[in-house]
Amino acid sequence: MAKVELEKICKVFDNHVLAVDDVNIDIHDKEFIVLVGPSGCGKSTTLRMVAGLEEITSGEIRIDGKVVNDVAPKDRDIAMVFQNYALYPHMTVFENMAFGLKLRKYPKPEIEQRVRDAAEILSIENLLDRKPKQLSGGQRQRVAVGRAIVRKPKVFLFDEPLSNLDAKLRVQMRTEISKLHARLETTMIYVTHDQVEAMTMGDRIVVMKDGKVQQIDSPMNLYDKPVNKFVAGFIGSPAMNFINGKIVADNGLCFRTEQLKLHIADKQASTLSAYVDKPVVMGIRPEDLSEYQLVDAPKQGCDAHCKVDVVEPMGNEIFVYLASGSDNLVARMSVQARPEVRGNYHIYFNMDKSHFFDTATEAVIE
Ligand code: ATP
């Protein structure tokens, strides 16, 4: 159990790549925090600096208040699970799990007990005599987690631990790691590029881009209140729709493009009044486009005529890809909706749920 603080962390590699740029994160005791972002955003480097596997160029990392910048990885009381599991091929599962404890000269009976306890938690008691090559990907992954658990570390670090598993197993292991977190009550820092993994597992999520933290928040806040266009587009699948247009005053405030004229909800009007006649980007999530008008929506000005490009059936819902003039939109709809491909389709915007971003800075306006 530990809190982990990253203060003004920067990492510049020898090739002058600024991989991590002024990162500040306060990770609470027992928290499950997920670092997420596209490839190359600096999440693995950040994790590796916490582990002590990568030197910090500037800034301070503290574990339970103690600065660990110059503390060797083995003395940081953390355990890391890697993407490739890094199991020793010539050792059995038992030996793999016991290895770290042996190095630290734990007494044999304690090693035995800890390995058996961890094996029970992970349901791999029957695999202890096997070698890694005799295991499936999912089983290897459990052994890698087991090797971390036996150490009873203050902090667990996970670097994309599920990316080598097939989709179904990934979903299963995701819940298992969440359950493990609830059971062990240990601080966990988890790196992934998969926003669904981040949303489903994290108490809080750190969204990174180009070495910088974009937003640190709970999953629902990230989804409902993204601070900029990048976060809004990164979290959620299918991604949020973005439409370039401008704000105009016309019987109240409207968002205008060549094709669309949408009435802005009252609650957003006062902030957006500063943007009259200025370009903005409107964001709206696929589920906030509907074939029905909302009961309390204004009579006019929240709808559009579109052409249906593609309909993707998902079983319990459909994704409808639409074109309104030069704007492309995706709507998430119930299976009862029956849009005809290449046909005309009338959709309603739930303007209460729309987001507006500054065209230049991409920061959220409202
Ligand atoms: P991925 O999801 O692809 O693993 P990431 O978000 O974890 O990406 P990092 O691996 O942290 O990203 O890399 C961040 C940046 O630092 C990238 O531009 C990468 O090319 C660079 N980088 C990483 N390791 C090194 C290194 N050892 N030497 C030089 N540059 C590096």
Side-chain angles (χ1 to χ4, degrees):
M1 278 177 276
K3 63 176 182 171
V4 180
E5 296 158 286
L6 284 75
E7 192 180 333
K8 296 186 177 155
I9 296 299
C10 290
K11 175 70 187 181
V12 183
F13 282 106
D14 295 342
N15 55 358
H16 307 296
V17 170
L18 175 59
V20 176
D21 186 3
D22 196 23
V23 162
N24 294 283
I25 313 172
D26 277 349
I27 301 161
H28 310 148
D29 183 24
K30 300 180 190 168
E31 190 170 28
F32 195 127
I33 198 135
V34 181
L35 309 185
V36 71
S39 183
C41 71
K43 50 197 187 301
S44 291
T45 305
T46 305
L47 194 76
R48 289 169 62 79
M49 285 192 282
V50 176
L53 301 174
E54 207 71 74
E55 227 173 85
I56 302 163
T57 306
S58 62
E60 206 167 84
I61 296 183
R62 294 184 291 274
I63 298 177
D64 263 349
K66 184 181 161 214
V67 179
V68 295
N69 288 29
D70 299 320
V71 175
K74 67 177 176 44
D75 299 324
R76 289 191 184 193
D77 206 357
I78 54 184
M80 185 151 166
V81 178
F82 296 91
Q83 178 176 353
N84 60 6
Y85 318 137
L87 300 177
Y88 300 107
H90 58 287
M91 293 185 192
T92 63
V93 167
F94 184 97
E95 289 162 347
N96 262 288
M97 288 169 68
F99 187 69
L101 301 178
K102 255 191 193 163
L103 275 188
R104 287 173 177 77
K105 307 218 177 327
Y106 277 70
K108 242 183 163 177
E110 182 163 3
I111 294 179
E112 178 88 21
Q113 190 61 49
R114 285 196 185 198
V115 171
R116 301 234 168 256
D117 288 349
E120 192 205 320
I121 291 174
L122 296 162
S123 307
I124 50 170
E125 301 107 306
N126 56 337
L127 305 176
L128 290 173
D129 296 328
R130 292 206 201 163
K131 298 268 176 66
K133 69 168 185 293
Q134 299 168 309
L135 302 174
S136 70
Q139 290 167 335
R140 279 180 213 166
Q141 210 276 338
R142 275 167 219 260
V143 177
V145 173
R147 196 170 53 179
I149 293 180
V150 293
R151 303 247 319 271
K152 300 189 180 170
K154 273 188 181 172
V155 185
F156 280 97
L157 307 180
F158 294 90
D159 192 0
E160 305 247 9
L162 307 185
S163 43
N164 289 340
L165 305 179
D166 67 44
K168 194 169 172 202
L169 201 52
R170 233 166 37 215
V171 173
Q172 188 188 333
M173 287 308 293
R174 199 162 83 193
T175 10
E176 291 203 14
I177 292 179
S178 293
K179 277 193 215 159
L180 191 68
H181 175 246
R183 176 163 180 171
L184 298 178
E185 296 191 323
T186 310
T187 312
M188 292 188 174
I189 312 178
Y190 188 103
V191 160
T192 179
H193 63 274
D194 179 343
Q195 54 97 15
V196 177
E197 231 167 82
M199 288 292 279
T200 50
M201 297 174 86
D203 294 323
R204 282 189 307 155
I205 300 172
V206 180
V207 183
M208 294 182 71
K209 181 193 170 210
D210 298 337
K212 285 196 167 68
V213 170
Q214 305 291 306
Q215 185 167 0
I216 305 179
D217 227 321
S218 66
M220 285 323 290
N221 271 350
L222 278 185
Y223 194 79
D224 291 334
K225 296 174 187 155
V227 298
N228 60 32
K229 192 177 158 206
F230 174 78
V231 175
F234 189 77
I235 301 289
S237 177
M240 185 184 280
N241 295 292
F242 295 115
I243 312 168
N244 287 304
K246 67 177 185 177
I247 304 291
V248 294
D250 181 357
N251 216 351
L253 283 193
C254 294
F255 172 75
R256 253 216 109 118
T257 70
E258 257 179 37
Q259 297 286 327
L260 297 171
K261 187 171 148 204
L262 301 167
H263 267 284
I264 286 167
D266 288 348
K267 64 174 189 179
Q268 295 179 314
S270 66
T271 319
L272 286 167
S273 60
Y275 279 79
V276 170
D277 292 330
K278 289 189 183 144
V280 294
V281 179
M282 186 180 109
I284 189 145
R285 294 216 179 266
E287 61 271 32
D288 297 321
L289 296 175
S290 157
E291 60 171 337
Y292 305 111
Q293 186 162 19
L294 291 174
V295 178
D296 54 355
K299 286 261 174 307
Q300 290 172 335
C302 61
D303 56 342
H305 290 284
C306 299
K307 277 251 183 295
V308 178
D309 282 337
V310 176
V311 176
E312 284 181 354
M314 304 304 292
N316 60 341
E317 59 185 1
I318 55 172
F319 299 156
V320 187
Y321 292 83
L322 302 152
S324 161
S326 58
D327 293 314
N328 293 311
L329 300 166
V330 54
R332 166 182 254 152
M333 291 184 181
S334 83
V335 285
Q336 277 78 40
R338 300 209 181 276
E340 231 171 81
V341 178
R342 288 185 291 280
N344 293 318
Y345 204 53
H346 194 201
I347 54 159
Y348 293 89
F349 290 68
N350 182 0
M351 291 301 285
D352 264 354
K353 293 287 189 71
S354 58
H355 303 256
F356 289 91
F357 304 95
D358 188 292
T359 308
T361 65
E362 300 197 344
V364 74
I365 302 166
E366 178 63 60

